[in-house]
Amino acid sequence: MQITKDQVEWAVILRLRDMLRASPQAEHDVTQAFALFSSIVCWIAQRMRTKGSSPNDLAARRFYERMKTEGFGQFGHGEPQNTQSVADAIVLIRNAVAHADGSSVESLCRTPAGSQPRLVGYAVQSTKDNKIVATLALTPDMMIRFRMWIADEFIADMTRDDTQQPRPIWAEEVNRGVKEARP
């Protein structure tokens, strides 16, 4: 069994999701969660705004349209008009991680009394005209829960059969059937 060209659209996301789910508590678990989280976001953001016409392109665009209607919650300065869709949040995070538009990612640290600072997450800041317009605090728990959900939603949309029924079990079967080479 191999991962076909069509399957790579969701097989990569499936494997990143599984790595995120299985990531053990480790010395760098906050950084590992962010690395897996941002990889999923970048992949999905790139695919969901495709202009192609293949079946995978159409499925990715359907996912994008659906995520435009899903509410992500409030970020920014807590003002109700700053409520964003999941699609907006994906683009904001992708821009901060991998786009040279002035957006940024900063570490979030806490210093308990008498202790060294501890990394507790990351802050994603979106800018417009050199002003911060939105900030999203990403804790490991939030990154894991949101990315697991978004990965599952993406996989479901990308694995629909001819009757448009999601078949994520196909993804699980491919994932189990294809082993990765060891260095």
PDB file of all heavy atoms in Angstrom, residues 44 47-50 57-71 85-88 90 154 157:
ATOM      1  N   ILE A  44      -3.227  23.460   5.805  1.00  0.00           N
ATOM      2  CA  ILE A  44      -4.652  23.667   5.535  1.00  0.00           C
ATOM      3  C   ILE A  44      -4.896  25.028   4.898  1.00  0.00           C
ATOM      4  O   ILE A  44      -5.670  25.151   3.941  1.00  0.00           O
ATOM      5  CB  ILE A  44      -5.488  23.461   6.811  1.00  0.00           C
ATOM      6  CG1 ILE A  44      -5.485  21.969   7.191  1.00  0.00           C
ATOM      7  CG2 ILE A  44      -6.917  23.968   6.624  1.00  0.00           C
ATOM      8  CD1 ILE A  44      -6.177  21.660   8.518  1.00  0.00           C
ATOM      9  N   ARG A  47      -4.044  24.930   1.267  1.00  0.00           N
ATOM     10  CA  ARG A  47      -4.946  24.124   0.450  1.00  0.00           C
ATOM     11  C   ARG A  47      -6.342  24.717   0.337  1.00  0.00           C
ATOM     12  O   ARG A  47      -6.955  24.655  -0.708  1.00  0.00           O
ATOM     13  CB  ARG A  47      -5.047  22.697   1.011  1.00  0.00           C
ATOM     14  CG  ARG A  47      -3.816  21.895   0.765  1.00  0.00           C
ATOM     15  CD  ARG A  47      -3.479  21.787  -0.720  1.00  0.00           C
ATOM     16  NE  ARG A  47      -4.555  21.114  -1.439  1.00  0.00           N
ATOM     17  CZ  ARG A  47      -5.013  21.491  -2.636  1.00  0.00           C
ATOM     18  NH1 ARG A  47      -4.504  22.516  -3.267  1.00  0.00           N
ATOM     19  NH2 ARG A  47      -6.004  20.836  -3.216  1.00  0.00           N
ATOM     20  N   MET A  48      -6.868  25.295   1.419  1.00  0.00           N
ATOM     21  CA  MET A  48      -8.273  25.694   1.415  1.00  0.00           C
ATOM     22  C   MET A  48      -8.554  26.881   0.502  1.00  0.00           C
ATOM     23  O   MET A  48      -9.691  27.107   0.131  1.00  0.00           O
ATOM     24  CB  MET A  48      -8.770  25.974   2.835  1.00  0.00           C
ATOM     25  CG  MET A  48      -8.247  27.223   3.472  1.00  0.00           C
ATOM     26  SD  MET A  48      -8.876  27.351   5.153  1.00  0.00           S
ATOM     27  CE  MET A  48      -8.412  29.059   5.481  1.00  0.00           C
ATOM     28  N   ARG A  49      -7.512  27.606   0.111  1.00  0.00           N
ATOM     29  CA  ARG A  49      -7.732  28.763  -0.759  1.00  0.00           C
ATOM     30  C   ARG A  49      -7.234  28.516  -2.179  1.00  0.00           C
ATOM     31  O   ARG A  49      -6.940  29.443  -2.924  1.00  0.00           O
ATOM     32  CB  ARG A  49      -7.070  29.996  -0.148  1.00  0.00           C
ATOM     33  CG  ARG A  49      -7.700  30.313   1.210  1.00  0.00           C
ATOM     34  CD  ARG A  49      -7.220  31.575   1.821  1.00  0.00           C
ATOM     35  NE  ARG A  49      -5.804  31.537   2.091  1.00  0.00           N
ATOM     36  CZ  ARG A  49      -5.089  32.584   2.437  1.00  0.00           C
ATOM     37  NH1 ARG A  49      -5.659  33.761   2.551  1.00  0.00           N
ATOM     38  NH2 ARG A  49      -3.816  32.476   2.672  1.00  0.00           N
ATOM     39  N   THR A  50      -7.204  27.258  -2.569  1.00  0.00           N
ATOM     40  CA  THR A  50      -6.744  26.877  -3.901  1.00  0.00           C
ATOM     41  C   THR A  50      -7.670  27.415  -4.990  1.00  0.00           C
ATOM     42  O   THR A  50      -8.851  27.636  -4.756  1.00  0.00           O
ATOM     43  CB  THR A  50      -6.638  25.342  -4.021  1.00  0.00           C
ATOM     44  OG1 THR A  50      -6.133  25.022  -5.315  1.00  0.00           O
ATOM     45  CG2 THR A  50      -7.987  24.670  -3.838  1.00  0.00           C
ATOM     46  N   ASP A  57      -9.157  19.916  -4.997  1.00  0.00           N
ATOM     47  CA  ASP A  57      -9.275  21.377  -4.920  1.00  0.00           C
ATOM     48  C   ASP A  57     -10.698  21.779  -4.539  1.00  0.00           C
ATOM     49  O   ASP A  57     -10.903  22.658  -3.702  1.00  0.00           O
ATOM     50  CB  ASP A  57      -8.895  22.029  -6.255  1.00  0.00           C
ATOM     51  CG  ASP A  57      -7.439  21.842  -6.618  1.00  0.00           C
ATOM     52  OD1 ASP A  57      -6.598  21.710  -5.705  1.00  0.00           O
ATOM     53  OD2 ASP A  57      -7.143  21.830  -7.830  1.00  0.00           O
ATOM     54  N   LEU A  58     -11.676  21.133  -5.157  1.00  0.00           N
ATOM     55  CA  LEU A  58     -13.071  21.441  -4.863  1.00  0.00           C
ATOM     56  C   LEU A  58     -13.421  21.092  -3.418  1.00  0.00           C
ATOM     57  O   LEU A  58     -14.119  21.848  -2.738  1.00  0.00           O
ATOM     58  CB  LEU A  58     -13.994  20.718  -5.847  1.00  0.00           C
ATOM     59  CG  LEU A  58     -13.820  21.100  -7.321  1.00  0.00           C
ATOM     60  CD1 LEU A  58     -14.698  20.217  -8.207  1.00  0.00           C
ATOM     61  CD2 LEU A  58     -14.097  22.571  -7.565  1.00  0.00           C
ATOM     62  N   ALA A  59     -12.910  19.964  -2.934  1.00  0.00           N
ATOM     63  CA  ALA A  59     -13.154  19.564  -1.547  1.00  0.00           C
ATOM     64  C   ALA A  59     -12.513  20.557  -0.583  1.00  0.00           C
ATOM     65  O   ALA A  59     -13.105  20.937   0.433  1.00  0.00           O
ATOM     66  CB  ALA A  59     -12.623  18.155  -1.304  1.00  0.00           C
ATOM     67  N   ALA A  60     -11.297  20.996  -0.900  1.00  0.00           N
ATOM     68  CA  ALA A  60     -10.605  21.966  -0.036  1.00  0.00           C
ATOM     69  C   ALA A  60     -11.360  23.293  -0.001  1.00  0.00           C
ATOM     70  O   ALA A  60     -11.475  23.926   1.061  1.00  0.00           O
ATOM     71  CB  ALA A  60      -9.174  22.170  -0.526  1.00  0.00           C
ATOM     72  N   ARG A  61     -11.891  23.711  -1.139  1.00  0.00           N
ATOM     73  CA  ARG A  61     -12.674  24.958  -1.160  1.00  0.00           C
ATOM     74  C   ARG A  61     -13.986  24.816  -0.410  1.00  0.00           C
ATOM     75  O   ARG A  61     -14.433  25.745   0.245  1.00  0.00           O
ATOM     76  CB  ARG A  61     -12.896  25.440  -2.595  1.00  0.00           C
ATOM     77  CG  ARG A  61     -11.700  26.219  -3.117  1.00  0.00           C
ATOM     78  CD  ARG A  61     -12.053  27.158  -4.248  1.00  0.00           C
ATOM     79  NE  ARG A  61     -12.733  26.545  -5.366  1.00  0.00           N
ATOM     80  CZ  ARG A  61     -12.144  25.846  -6.337  1.00  0.00           C
ATOM     81  NH1 ARG A  61     -10.857  25.655  -6.327  1.00  0.00           N
ATOM     82  NH2 ARG A  61     -12.857  25.350  -7.324  1.00  0.00           N
ATOM     83  N   ARG A  62     -14.611  23.648  -0.480  1.00  0.00           N
ATOM     84  CA  ARG A  62     -15.841  23.417   0.305  1.00  0.00           C
ATOM     85  C   ARG A  62     -15.530  23.519   1.800  1.00  0.00           C
ATOM     86  O   ARG A  62     -16.296  24.093   2.570  1.00  0.00           O
ATOM     87  CB  ARG A  62     -16.445  22.046  -0.012  1.00  0.00           C
ATOM     88  CG  ARG A  62     -17.316  22.030  -1.245  1.00  0.00           C
ATOM     89  CD  ARG A  62     -18.135  20.751  -1.356  1.00  0.00           C
ATOM     90  NE  ARG A  62     -17.321  19.538  -1.336  1.00  0.00           N
ATOM     91  CZ  ARG A  62     -16.817  18.956  -2.424  1.00  0.00           C
ATOM     92  NH1 ARG A  62     -17.038  19.461  -3.619  1.00  0.00           N
ATOM     93  NH2 ARG A  62     -16.109  17.866  -2.310  1.00  0.00           N
ATOM     94  N   PHE A  63     -14.395  22.967   2.188  1.00  0.00           N
ATOM     95  CA  PHE A  63     -13.956  23.073   3.582  1.00  0.00           C
ATOM     96  C   PHE A  63     -13.802  24.550   3.967  1.00  0.00           C
ATOM     97  O   PHE A  63     -14.280  24.979   5.014  1.00  0.00           O
ATOM     98  CB  PHE A  63     -12.622  22.328   3.760  1.00  0.00           C
ATOM     99  CG  PHE A  63     -11.948  22.601   5.066  1.00  0.00           C
ATOM    100  CD1 PHE A  63     -12.331  21.912   6.216  1.00  0.00           C
ATOM    101  CD2 PHE A  63     -10.949  23.557   5.158  1.00  0.00           C
ATOM    102  CE1 PHE A  63     -11.709  22.178   7.423  1.00  0.00           C
ATOM    103  CE2 PHE A  63     -10.336  23.830   6.364  1.00  0.00           C
ATOM    104  CZ  PHE A  63     -10.704  23.133   7.501  1.00  0.00           C
ATOM    105  N   TYR A  64     -13.150  25.323   3.112  1.00  0.00           N
ATOM    106  CA  TYR A  64     -12.935  26.753   3.365  1.00  0.00           C
ATOM    107  C   TYR A  64     -14.267  27.482   3.535  1.00  0.00           C
ATOM    108  O   TYR A  64     -14.453  28.253   4.487  1.00  0.00           O
ATOM    109  CB  TYR A  64     -12.125  27.345   2.209  1.00  0.00           C
ATOM    110  CG  TYR A  64     -11.757  28.802   2.337  1.00  0.00           C
ATOM    111  CD1 TYR A  64     -11.367  29.354   3.539  1.00  0.00           C
ATOM    112  CD2 TYR A  64     -11.754  29.619   1.209  1.00  0.00           C
ATOM    113  CE1 TYR A  64     -11.003  30.695   3.625  1.00  0.00           C
ATOM    114  CE2 TYR A  64     -11.382  30.947   1.290  1.00  0.00           C
ATOM    115  CZ  TYR A  64     -11.012  31.479   2.501  1.00  0.00           C
ATOM    116  OH  TYR A  64     -10.646  32.800   2.595  1.00  0.00           O
ATOM    117  N   GLU A  65     -15.199  27.222   2.645  1.00  0.00           N
ATOM    118  CA  GLU A  65     -16.511  27.880   2.736  1.00  0.00           C
ATOM    119  C   GLU A  65     -17.224  27.492   4.027  1.00  0.00           C
ATOM    120  O   GLU A  65     -17.854  28.333   4.666  1.00  0.00           O
ATOM    121  CB  GLU A  65     -17.373  27.543   1.507  1.00  0.00           C
ATOM    122  CG  GLU A  65     -16.848  28.139   0.210  1.00  0.00           C
ATOM    123  CD  GLU A  65     -16.684  29.651   0.259  1.00  0.00           C
ATOM    124  OE1 GLU A  65     -17.582  30.348   0.786  1.00  0.00           O
ATOM    125  OE2 GLU A  65     -15.640  30.143  -0.218  1.00  0.00           O
ATOM    126  N   ARG A  66     -17.106  26.253   4.413  1.00  0.00           N
ATOM    127  CA  ARG A  66     -17.734  25.797   5.649  1.00  0.00           C
ATOM    128  C   ARG A  66     -17.081  26.456   6.862  1.00  0.00           C
ATOM    129  O   ARG A  66     -17.765  26.866   7.802  1.00  0.00           O
ATOM    130  CB  ARG A  66     -17.632  24.274   5.733  1.00  0.00           C
ATOM    131  CG  ARG A  66     -18.535  23.660   6.760  1.00  0.00           C
ATOM    132  CD  ARG A  66     -18.682  22.167   6.531  1.00  0.00           C
ATOM    133  NE  ARG A  66     -17.466  21.405   6.656  1.00  0.00           N
ATOM    134  CZ  ARG A  66     -16.962  20.977   7.800  1.00  0.00           C
ATOM    135  NH1 ARG A  66     -17.567  21.233   8.929  1.00  0.00           N
ATOM    136  NH2 ARG A  66     -15.855  20.271   7.814  1.00  0.00           N
ATOM    137  N   MET A  67     -15.747  26.602   6.839  1.00  0.00           N
ATOM    138  CA  MET A  67     -15.036  27.202   7.973  1.00  0.00           C
ATOM    139  C   MET A  67     -15.310  28.709   8.078  1.00  0.00           C
ATOM    140  O   MET A  67     -15.162  29.293   9.143  1.00  0.00           O
ATOM    141  CB  MET A  67     -13.532  26.947   7.868  1.00  0.00           C
ATOM    142  CG  MET A  67     -13.166  25.490   8.098  1.00  0.00           C
ATOM    143  SD  MET A  67     -13.677  24.838   9.707  1.00  0.00           S
ATOM    144  CE  MET A  67     -15.001  23.717   9.252  1.00  0.00           C
ATOM    145  N   LYS A  68     -15.724  29.338   6.979  1.00  0.00           N
ATOM    146  CA  LYS A  68     -16.106  30.752   7.040  1.00  0.00           C
ATOM    147  C   LYS A  68     -17.356  30.946   7.894  1.00  0.00           C
ATOM    148  O   LYS A  68     -17.595  32.034   8.403  1.00  0.00           O
ATOM    149  CB  LYS A  68     -16.367  31.307   5.632  1.00  0.00           C
ATOM    150  CG  LYS A  68     -15.134  31.537   4.813  1.00  0.00           C
ATOM    151  CD  LYS A  68     -15.569  32.079   3.449  1.00  0.00           C
ATOM    152  CE  LYS A  68     -14.438  32.356   2.529  1.00  0.00           C
ATOM    153  NZ  LYS A  68     -14.910  32.856   1.219  1.00  0.00           N
ATOM    154  N   THR A  69     -18.161  29.895   8.023  1.00  0.00           N
ATOM    155  CA  THR A  69     -19.410  30.001   8.794  1.00  0.00           C
ATOM    156  C   THR A  69     -19.259  29.498  10.227  1.00  0.00           C
ATOM    157  O   THR A  69     -20.167  29.656  11.033  1.00  0.00           O
ATOM    158  CB  THR A  69     -20.553  29.208   8.114  1.00  0.00           C
ATOM    159  OG1 THR A  69     -20.240  27.818   8.137  1.00  0.00           O
ATOM    160  CG2 THR A  69     -20.756  29.690   6.681  1.00  0.00           C
ATOM    161  N   GLU A  70     -18.121  28.886  10.542  1.00  0.00           N
ATOM    162  CA  GLU A  70     -17.861  28.395  11.899  1.00  0.00           C
ATOM    163  C   GLU A  70     -17.204  29.504  12.707  1.00  0.00           C
ATOM    164  O   GLU A  70     -16.189  30.062  12.294  1.00  0.00           O
ATOM    165  CB  GLU A  70     -16.916  27.183  11.869  1.00  0.00           C
ATOM    166  CG  GLU A  70     -17.515  25.944  11.274  1.00  0.00           C
ATOM    167  CD  GLU A  70     -18.431  25.211  12.246  1.00  0.00           C
ATOM    168  OE1 GLU A  70     -18.301  25.402  13.472  1.00  0.00           O
ATOM    169  OE2 GLU A  70     -19.274  24.460  11.755  1.00  0.00           O
ATOM    170  N   GLY A  71     -17.741  29.819  13.874  1.00  0.00           N
ATOM    171  CA  GLY A  71     -17.156  30.852  14.728  1.00  0.00           C
ATOM    172  C   GLY A  71     -15.978  30.319  15.517  1.00  0.00           C
ATOM    173  O   GLY A  71     -16.040  29.247  16.094  1.00  0.00           O
ATOM    174  N   SER A  85     -14.173  34.067  12.163  1.00  0.00           N
ATOM    175  CA  SER A  85     -14.516  32.714  11.745  1.00  0.00           C
ATOM    176  C   SER A  85     -13.284  31.824  11.894  1.00  0.00           C
ATOM    177  O   SER A  85     -12.157  32.311  12.033  1.00  0.00           O
ATOM    178  CB  SER A  85     -14.982  32.709  10.289  1.00  0.00           C
ATOM    179  OG  SER A  85     -13.884  32.953   9.425  1.00  0.00           O
ATOM    180  N   VAL A  86     -13.501  30.522  11.842  1.00  0.00           N
ATOM    181  CA  VAL A  86     -12.389  29.578  11.871  1.00  0.00           C
ATOM    182  C   VAL A  86     -11.476  29.838  10.671  1.00  0.00           C
ATOM    183  O   VAL A  86     -10.248  29.825  10.810  1.00  0.00           O
ATOM    184  CB  VAL A  86     -12.907  28.126  11.887  1.00  0.00           C
ATOM    185  CG1 VAL A  86     -11.787  27.135  11.642  1.00  0.00           C
ATOM    186  CG2 VAL A  86     -13.608  27.828  13.206  1.00  0.00           C
ATOM    187  N   ALA A  87     -12.048  30.114   9.506  1.00  0.00           N
ATOM    188  CA  ALA A  87     -11.232  30.405   8.318  1.00  0.00           C
ATOM    189  C   ALA A  87     -10.351  31.626   8.562  1.00  0.00           C
ATOM    190  O   ALA A  87      -9.164  31.617   8.208  1.00  0.00           O
ATOM    191  CB  ALA A  87     -12.120  30.624   7.096  1.00  0.00           C
ATOM    192  N   ASP A  88     -10.912  32.682   9.162  1.00  0.00           N
ATOM    193  CA  ASP A  88     -10.119  33.880   9.476  1.00  0.00           C
ATOM    194  C   ASP A  88      -8.990  33.552  10.435  1.00  0.00           C
ATOM    195  O   ASP A  88      -7.864  34.036  10.282  1.00  0.00           O
ATOM    196  CB  ASP A  88     -10.993  34.978  10.083  1.00  0.00           C
ATOM    197  CG  ASP A  88     -11.979  35.571   9.092  1.00  0.00           C
ATOM    198  OD1 ASP A  88     -11.730  35.502   7.876  1.00  0.00           O
ATOM    199  OD2 ASP A  88     -13.010  36.105   9.564  1.00  0.00           O
ATOM    200  N   ILE A  90      -7.481  30.661  10.896  1.00  0.00           N
ATOM    201  CA  ILE A  90      -6.461  29.874  10.200  1.00  0.00           C
ATOM    202  C   ILE A  90      -5.544  30.797   9.407  1.00  0.00           C
ATOM    203  O   ILE A  90      -4.317  30.666   9.455  1.00  0.00           O
ATOM    204  CB  ILE A  90      -7.125  28.822   9.277  1.00  0.00           C
ATOM    205  CG1 ILE A  90      -7.779  27.728  10.117  1.00  0.00           C
ATOM    206  CG2 ILE A  90      -6.108  28.227   8.301  1.00  0.00           C
ATOM    207  CD1 ILE A  90      -8.662  26.783   9.307  1.00  0.00           C
ATOM    208  N   PHE A 154     -11.030  18.744   8.273  1.00  0.00           N
ATOM    209  CA  PHE A 154     -10.380  18.772   6.962  1.00  0.00           C
ATOM    210  C   PHE A 154     -10.349  17.369   6.355  1.00  0.00           C
ATOM    211  O   PHE A 154     -10.698  17.172   5.185  1.00  0.00           O
ATOM    212  CB  PHE A 154      -8.968  19.349   7.097  1.00  0.00           C
ATOM    213  CG  PHE A 154      -8.231  19.503   5.798  1.00  0.00           C
ATOM    214  CD1 PHE A 154      -8.526  20.554   4.942  1.00  0.00           C
ATOM    215  CD2 PHE A 154      -7.236  18.614   5.437  1.00  0.00           C
ATOM    216  CE1 PHE A 154      -7.841  20.709   3.738  1.00  0.00           C
ATOM    217  CE2 PHE A 154      -6.540  18.762   4.241  1.00  0.00           C
ATOM    218  CZ  PHE A 154      -6.849  19.815   3.393  1.00  0.00           C
ATOM    219  N   ASP A 157     -13.765  16.314   5.130  1.00  0.00           N
ATOM    220  CA  ASP A 157     -14.133  16.935   3.855  1.00  0.00           C
ATOM    221  C   ASP A 157     -13.328  16.370   2.688  1.00  0.00           C
ATOM    222  O   ASP A 157     -13.852  16.221   1.582  1.00  0.00           O
ATOM    223  CB  ASP A 157     -13.952  18.453   3.919  1.00  0.00           C
ATOM    224  CG  ASP A 157     -15.112  19.148   4.607  1.00  0.00           C
ATOM    225  OD1 ASP A 157     -16.053  18.465   5.060  1.00  0.00           O
ATOM    226  OD2 ASP A 157     -15.085  20.387   4.689  1.00  0.00           O
TER     227      ASP A 157
END
